[in-house]
Amino acid sequence: MRLFDERFGPGFLAGVPAAPGVYRFHDAAGTLLYVGKAINLRRRLGQYRLTGPRKKDRKRRALVKAAARITWEVCESPLAAALAEIELIQALRPPRNVASAYPFLYPFVGLATDGDETYFCLTTSPEAFPALEFHGAFRSREITREAFFSLVELLRYVGHPVPRHRCRRLGAARHSHVRGFRRLPASSLAAWGALLRGESRAALEGLALRLVDHAGARARRGEIHEALRAIARFFEEEACALARVRAVTGFPRYPVAQRDRDLLFARSRLQALDRSTAAAGGN
């Protein structure tokens, strides 16, 4: 409490409106440090005043210590505040904002067939691979990358890898990967597409059954199990999460552009809050 009052004055909060909006922390040179959103600006900034020595307050306390000025802008609704926060973070990239600051790093996964060859692509630059149908954008690079490479390792047991030089003809981009396999089941493209859209995990279940019949896979069952778990985690936490948000918001475009992804999730969260508030009021 003392640190906040020293920085901004003991009467600072009295001048902050109890309304939705976005707020910004600036250092002594005027450099923007952080952007946040609030349903109630006064209440939210009051939480920074109450930060203590506890571990959970460490980031807030460090921000108050680094800042010399707080500004804010009132928005017409909590949704408008949430959207404004994401747009400001994406445009200005304040050093203490990590989430939403780099949407161009959100990955896509692409699929394509060419005769009896099925191709899989992991990239943040789908425009570099015009022949593929892409899914996403997904938020976690770690989860998506782990699932992609787990999948291509498992497919080696049931298909025949396409030479890398043939994969490169589909396109190339930095931090992108294309893998191809021959003689996968004819339904593979549709089945894996349904998994990537968060609609069905039938492709994963079918792959698991085929691996049970493969002696080499059975001999490495621990590794196989971990790879299957990585794909299942991606399905639940990335593909299904995106599918639910698209359904709730009625978002028509797919794949979802990288810059639109966090905005879409913000709309979904605020809609859920509105429904919860309406239900509580009805009771």
Side-chain angles (χ1 to χ4, degrees):
M1 188 179 297
R2 184 180 303 168
L3 177 61
F4 187 95
D5 290 347
E6 288 174 356
R7 287 280 190 246
F8 313 114
F12 175 81
L13 290 175
V16 179
V22 291
Y23 58 91
R24 312 184 197 197
F25 281 79
H26 308 260
D27 67 13
T31 302
L32 179 64
L33 299 174
Y34 182 83
V35 174
K37 67 178 183 300
I39 295 174
N40 182 311
L41 283 164
R42 184 183 300 166
R43 184 167 62 238
R44 176 59 174 158
L45 291 175
Q47 293 173 350
Y48 287 92
R49 186 171 185 261
L50 298 174
T51 55
R54 296 168 297 183
K55 184 177 180 180
K56 69 175 185 177
D57 291 336
R58 187 178 300 165
K59 290 183 179 179
R60 287 181 189 171
R61 185 173 177 82
L63 185 54
V64 170
K65 189 174 182 179
R69 184 167 59 99
I70 302 174
T71 61
W72 64 83
E73 300 170 13
V74 172
C75 298
E76 63 181 12
S77 68
L79 175 58
L83 300 182
E85 178 203 34
I86 292 171
E87 290 170 351
L88 286 169
I89 291 171
Q90 291 181 351
L92 303 176
R93 296 182 194 167
R96 297 189 182 235
N97 287 98
V98 177
S100 303
Y102 302 97
F104 56 86
L105 296 178
Y106 293 167
F108 296 84
V109 179
L111 299 172
T113 57
D114 183 4
D116 69 342
E117 299 173 347
T118 303
Y119 290 90
F120 299 80
C121 175
L122 174 67
T123 186
T124 57
S125 305
E127 65 280 358
F129 304 89
L132 286 94
E133 177 182 344
F134 281 96
H135 302 271
F138 303 113
R139 178 71 178 268
S140 173
R141 287 181 293 161
E142 178 185 355
I143 292 175
T144 307
R145 182 183 176 87
E146 184 180 13
F148 177 84
F149 286 106
S150 294
L151 175 60
V152 298
E153 284 302 313
L154 294 180
L155 290 176
R156 292 177 181 275
Y157 291 98
V158 298
H160 301 276
V162 173
R164 293 291 178 87
H165 72 272
R166 286 187 57 78
C167 295
R168 286 194 290 269
R169 65 192 171 86
L170 294 177
R174 191 179 181 188
H175 305 308
S176 300
H177 307 271
V178 180
R179 300 290 187 271
F181 297 88
R182 292 193 296 271
R183 300 182 183 178
L184 295 182
S187 60
S188 287
L189 190 71
W192 289 113
L195 183 139
L196 293 169
R197 289 192 301 273
E199 297 172 355
S200 169
R201 52 182 293 160
L204 182 60
E205 293 166 356
L207 177 59
L209 290 174
R210 294 189 70 189
L211 292 170
V212 169
D213 295 329
H214 194 286
R218 290 198 304 272
R220 303 175 67 182
R221 56 184 175 272
E223 296 176 24
I224 299 300
H225 179 67
E226 288 302 314
L228 291 170
R229 286 184 60 184
I231 301 168
R233 181 188 181 194
F234 163 81
F235 176 71
E236 294 294 338
E237 297 184 19
E238 292 292 330
C240 288
L242 185 58
R244 284 192 296 269
V245 167
R246 290 180 59 233
V248 166
T249 59
F251 192 76
R253 296 188 298 278
Y254 191 78
V256 177
Q258 291 157 315
R259 288 186 64 88
D260 290 341
R261 189 200 177 281
D262 288 343
L263 296 171
L264 189 61
F265 274 73
R267 290 191 183 97
S268 175
R269 287 192 295 269
L270 268 296
Q271 287 178 10
L273 178 61
D274 289 344
R275 289 194 296 272
S276 177
T277 302
N283 293 333

